[in-house]
Amino acid sequence: MSSQRFFQTVKKVFPTTHIPKSNQEIAHLISKSLIKPDPAQPLLQIPPSLLSNLNPHITHLVLSNPQVPIESCLHFFNFLYTNPNPSLKLNLQSLIMLVCRLFKARKFTQANNLLNKLAIADNFGHPFSDIASLVAQDGKEPKIVVKVYDMLFRVYADNQRFKEGLEVFEYMKNSGFEIDERSCIVYLLASKRHDHVEPLFDFFRRMVDSGIGITVYSLTIVINSMCKMGRVDEARELMNEMAGGGVKPNVYTYNTLIDAYVKILDLGRVKEILIAMEKEEVAYNVATYTLLIQGCFSSGKIEDAERVFEEMRDKGIAGDVHVYNLLISWNNRLGNMIKAFELFDELSERGIVPNAHIYGAVIHGLCKAGQIDAAKDLLNEMQSKGIDVNQVIFNTLMDGYCKKWMIDEAFRLKFVMEKKGLEPDVFANNIIATGLCISNRHEEAKRLLCRMMNEGIALNSVTFTTLIDIYYKEGNFVEALRLFGKMKEEGPIPNIVTFNALTDEYSKKGKLNEAHKLRDEMKEKGLMPDVYTYTSLAHGECIFGTVDQAMNCSMKCPLKGWFQT
């Protein structure tokens, strides 16, 4: 074999690759591979020997090379960012360099994605002063620099990095950069969304002191947060203060305050807000009227609620699904079923599609009135319109069935609910158990409730009361008293129904001292004995011949404002 052929064979078997010695040479060769890459696999053209010699300086030289297309830079960046090899990890300088290039190329979505990586990555862990220095160095143009700071401010807020976001804000303010109020709104909304409330108020004051052009949108966010914390009067003072500075509240701002005052039933303050709206010529919208109607209903002023609704219609303000839901729900609650059905028909006539809450309210009213077949028809109509049946509606119908002694129908509905992927909650199980007890199927009720306990569903006072009543009827006083003791020690707190169940059983068994002690314990816990309490005591006294004591118990009912029958 000739020498020439020998060396050719050796080259094929043991190929050699020239490894450049300088960072510039390596960066040049990588850049050359990325300038005209294979669109399908842009990184396969970079020899592994070059990648093995990467360092932060080389990465920065590649990403800053204007001849390398921005998309190729992104591919290269993502490769390094996701690579598990620690020697290939990126540094802060490379990330900021690429962000600035993306801004110059007006690829803001990709820039935002990179800044999100910066916000959530602990491995970058640099103070903002370092980031600011790199942005100024790589951004060069003041316009680009400000935009990068602005986006970083928003990104920090979205990622709950409020401290870092505040650093960006202060840096921009101290550097004389213009701060966009819309970015501040992002910070305010993120603070509100994550219950970062106290710093939210402090930040708003910084906005005001920094001379940022405050709009009513920022103001309303802050007022809403203050109202949710119960600081309603402070919120109103802030609104008046800002109005004096030229930031006029709009209908949403006023509605926020009205909502807060309605919740605490301070209708006097509501009236003051309405006067202020009229003075400033701010027209009510449908939400305003909805809040006013809620306030009237909650205060028991039913006629006023109807008058407010008529006023809304007279002014040509179309009702929406929320106001009709409110009106129908309250009329059902008050037993005004005819009015509720009229409103339901009116809603459909106006082309408003009822939602699950409205259907649920009407179904509840029908079940309450014993019209279970009509409730089923409405359920079918609801499903035909593609509106899903929720847990509350299932519970309502099951309760309706149980009260009509149709316990097997209630079980069938429970099965349908489970097939839809809705797990029966404590209320559903209590409804079925109560229905079983009404049908004298106590053992089944007990098994159901005990199974619920074993499945880890948190019991409420109704569950405990039902079980206690069952154990007493079985003569198992020890277990009944154990459960009662568990309620008092661990919760839930026994309610008047629980106490009455025990009082009745003690009275029937002649344990009148224990029954009277329970009545006294009720009073100590702030639960006022009712007609059932005293009737049970009087009945017990009569059974055991203490007629004078029975009369004494009976006489106490009228004194408490109840009527004997």
Side-chain angles (χ1 to χ4, degrees):
M1 179 185 294
S2 66
S3 298
Q4 186 178 0
R5 288 183 63 191
F6 172 77
F7 283 115
Q8 286 175 346
T9 303
V10 168
K11 282 182 181 181
K12 287 179 182 178
V13 177
F14 302 102
T16 59
T17 303
H18 171 65
I19 301 175
K21 294 181 180 180
S22 71
N23 289 339
Q24 284 80 7
E25 284 182 277
I26 297 174
H28 173 73
L29 290 172
I30 293 175
S31 298
K32 189 176 177 182
S33 300
L34 292 172
I35 288 171
K36 292 183 178 180
D38 177 356
Q41 296 174 313
L43 297 175
L44 288 184
Q45 294 167 257
I46 303 174
S49 57
L50 295 179
L51 293 175
S52 65
N53 283 276
L54 270 180
N55 60 43
H57 184 209
I58 295 169
T59 303
H60 186 264
L61 289 171
V62 173
L63 295 176
S64 62
N65 188 336
Q67 293 182 322
V68 178
I70 193 69
E71 291 298 332
S72 297
C73 286
L74 277 173
H75 284 302
F76 186 55
F77 175 90
N78 289 326
F79 164 73
L80 297 176
Y81 185 80
T82 57
N83 199 297
N85 187 343
S87 65
L88 297 182
K89 285 298 176 188
L90 286 156
N91 65 357
L92 180 67
Q93 186 180 23
S94 298
L95 187 144
I96 296 299
M97 161 57 69
L98 187 53
V99 167
C100 291
R101 284 199 63 184
L102 287 166
F103 263 93
K104 289 173 186 175
R106 303 186 63 78
K107 293 184 178 294
F108 302 120
T109 301
Q110 292 93 326
N112 184 276
N113 291 339
L114 289 191
L115 289 177
N116 269 288
K117 287 181 170 61
L118 171 63
I120 62 175
D122 294 329
N123 57 322
F124 284 119
H126 291 269
F128 178 69
S129 56
D130 290 354
I131 297 171
S133 175
L134 290 170
V135 171
Q137 171 188 310
D138 293 325
K140 295 183 174 62
E141 301 171 31
K143 187 177 178 181
I144 296 293
V145 170
V146 173
K147 284 186 175 180
V148 173
Y149 290 152
D150 181 74
M151 184 177 283
L152 185 58
F153 175 50
R154 295 185 186 214
V155 165
Y156 276 138
D158 286 335
N159 286 280
Q160 302 179 58
R161 303 288 289 265
F162 299 112
K163 178 177 173 291
E164 290 85 349
L166 203 56
E167 285 183 41
V168 180
F169 177 88
E170 289 296 327
Y171 183 88
M172 292 180 73
K173 182 186 76 173
N174 295 332
S175 300
F177 293 125
E178 184 179 352
I179 302 174
D180 190 339
E181 193 226 8
R182 291 172 298 180
S183 300
C184 294
I185 288 175
V186 171
Y187 190 94
L188 290 171
L189 287 172
S191 298
K192 179 186 170 190
R193 189 164 54 248
H194 298 289
D195 296 323
H196 200 68
V197 181
E198 282 299 336
L200 180 148
F201 304 143
D202 172 67
F203 180 72
F204 183 73
R205 284 294 175 193
R206 288 174 188 251
M207 288 173 63
V208 175
D209 295 341
S210 300
I212 295 170
I214 305 294
T215 65
V216 69
Y217 305 109
S218 296
L219 174 64
T220 303
I221 292 167
V222 177
I223 286 176
N224 183 268
S225 297
M226 294 178 82
C227 287
K228 284 189 174 178
M229 287 188 68
R231 295 161 60 173
V232 190
D233 290 334
E234 285 181 61
R236 188 178 174 189
E237 288 173 13
L238 176 63
M239 183 184 75
N240 293 335
E241 175 195 330
M242 297 303 294
V247 183
K248 297 294 183 183
N250 61 19
V251 66
Y252 302 103
T253 319
Y254 285 118
N255 283 349
T256 300
L257 287 169
I258 292 171
D259 180 44
Y261 283 127
V262 163
K263 282 175 180 170
I264 58 175
L265 293 181
D266 192 341
L267 300 188
R269 298 282 184 173
V270 170
K271 190 173 181 180
E272 291 174 7
I273 298 296
L274 297 177
I275 291 169
M277 290 177 74
E278 290 171 13
K279 183 180 176 183
E280 295 296 326
E281 298 182 343
V282 177
Y284 303 177
N285 62 12
V286 65
T288 315
Y289 281 107
T290 304
L291 292 169
L292 295 178
I293 291 167
Q294 175 68 64
C296 293
F297 275 130
S298 299
S299 305
K301 299 179 178 180
I302 312 305
E303 291 181 2
D304 285 353
E306 292 174 355
R307 180 187 56 77
V308 172
F309 183 57
E310 289 303 322
E311 179 187 311
M312 184 188 84
R313 290 198 287 198
D314 291 343
K315 288 189 175 180
I317 297 174
D320 61 11
V321 71
H322 303 292
V323 72
Y324 277 101
N325 180 37
L326 175 64
L327 287 160
I328 291 168
S329 297
W330 269 99
N331 276 287
N332 275 335
R333 199 177 302 178
L334 295 166
N336 301 332
M337 289 305 301
I338 294 174
K339 182 66 176 177
F341 290 136
E342 287 175 359
L343 288 164
F344 186 76
D345 291 338
E346 180 182 317
L347 173 140
S348 301
E349 289 167 7
R350 292 180 179 272
I352 301 170
V353 179
N355 59 19
H357 296 292
I358 291 176
Y359 274 111
V362 179
I363 288 170
H364 177 265
L366 289 167
C367 290
K368 190 176 176 183
Q371 301 292 321
I372 195 72
D373 289 334
K376 281 170 61 180
D377 290 341
L378 202 58
L379 177 72
N380 293 332
E381 177 190 314
M382 175 184 171
Q383 290 179 304
S384 70
K385 292 183 177 179
I387 300 171
D388 239 356
V389 184
N390 58 32
Q391 183 90 52
V392 175
I393 294 174
F394 272 116
N395 288 353
T396 300
L397 281 166
M398 285 191 290
D399 188 50
Y401 278 128
C402 288
K403 284 175 179 172
K404 295 279 284 185
W405 292 54
M406 300 168 69
I407 187 66
D408 292 327
E409 282 296 314
F411 266 118
R412 186 191 63 78
L413 200 60
K414 180 172 176 281
F415 177 71
V416 172
M417 180 175 71
E418 290 171 334
K419 280 192 71 176
K420 280 183 167 287
L422 295 170
E423 289 294 326
D425 57 11
V426 65
F427 303 104
N429 284 294
N430 285 342
I431 287 165
I432 298 289
T434 303
L436 288 167
C437 288
I438 291 171
S439 303
N440 291 318
R441 294 159 66 174
H442 295 101
E443 191 59 37
E444 289 179 69
K446 187 170 68 174
R447 283 201 304 269
L448 174 67
L449 296 179
C450 289
R451 185 168 64 249
M452 182 173 74
M453 289 168 55
N454 295 334
E455 289 173 357
I457 299 173
L459 310 187
N460 61 17
S461 57
V462 175
T463 318
F464 276 104
T465 303
T466 305
L467 277 171
I468 288 169
D469 191 52
I470 291 170
Y471 282 122
Y472 262 117
K473 283 181 170 61
E474 291 178 342
N476 191 346
F477 303 122
V478 173
E479 186 61 21
L481 290 173
R482 187 192 70 79
L483 283 177
F484 185 60
K486 184 177 181 180
M487 282 184 80
K488 292 196 287 186
E489 289 175 13
E490 303 174 14
I493 299 169
N495 60 22
I496 193 166
V497 179
T498 317
F499 276 103
N500 281 347
L502 289 168
T503 303
D504 188 53
E505 291 299 328
Y506 272 133
S507 297
K508 286 175 181 176
K509 301 295 180 186
K511 299 183 177 183
L512 297 175
N513 286 337
E514 287 85 347
H516 283 285
K517 282 179 184 177
L518 277 176
R519 185 227 18 224
D520 295 337
E521 188 179 339
M522 287 170 67
K523 291 179 179 179
E524 289 171 10
K525 293 185 179 296
L527 298 170
M528 292 305 296
D530 61 11
V531 67
Y532 300 104
T533 316
Y534 287 108
T535 300
S536 295
L537 291 170
H539 183 62
E541 299 287 358
C542 285
I543 290 173
F544 292 93
T546 50
V547 180
D548 290 343
Q549 290 293 332
M551 290 295 294
N552 185 40
C553 290
S554 296
M555 289 296 291
K556 289 182 179 180
C557 290
L559 292 175
K560 297 295 178 181
W562 294 301
F563 298 95
Q564 287 177 273
T565 57

